[in-house]
Amino acid sequence: MNTEEILREDISDFASRLEVMTIDEIFDAMSLLEQHSEDDVSDRDETLSRIALVEEEIERRFPGQKLAPYRDWKQDQPLLS
């Protein structure tokens, strides 16, 4: 999966697909979207709306932990540093 695939996918399809993704797939999607949002892109609003969906899915899976599990995962990824 890459950022372009995520952004091309219908938002409701993406939201449905998030529900069946593994934790690593969800965290990877979040990382890709975050990196893309930092670029000077014309689709920033679309990117941010998908980031919000991923955040909601992380919160659903890790109630009360906000994005701590994602931040921990991100620190353990040597290529993302």
Side-chain angles (χ1 to χ4, degrees), residues 21-38:
M21 286 182 177
T22 66
I23 291 300
D24 281 331
E25 289 172 327
I26 289 171
F27 290 167
D28 186 48
M30 178 64 110
S31 178
L32 289 170
L33 289 166
E34 279 184 339
Q35 290 171 14
H36 186 73
S37 74
E38 293 171 1

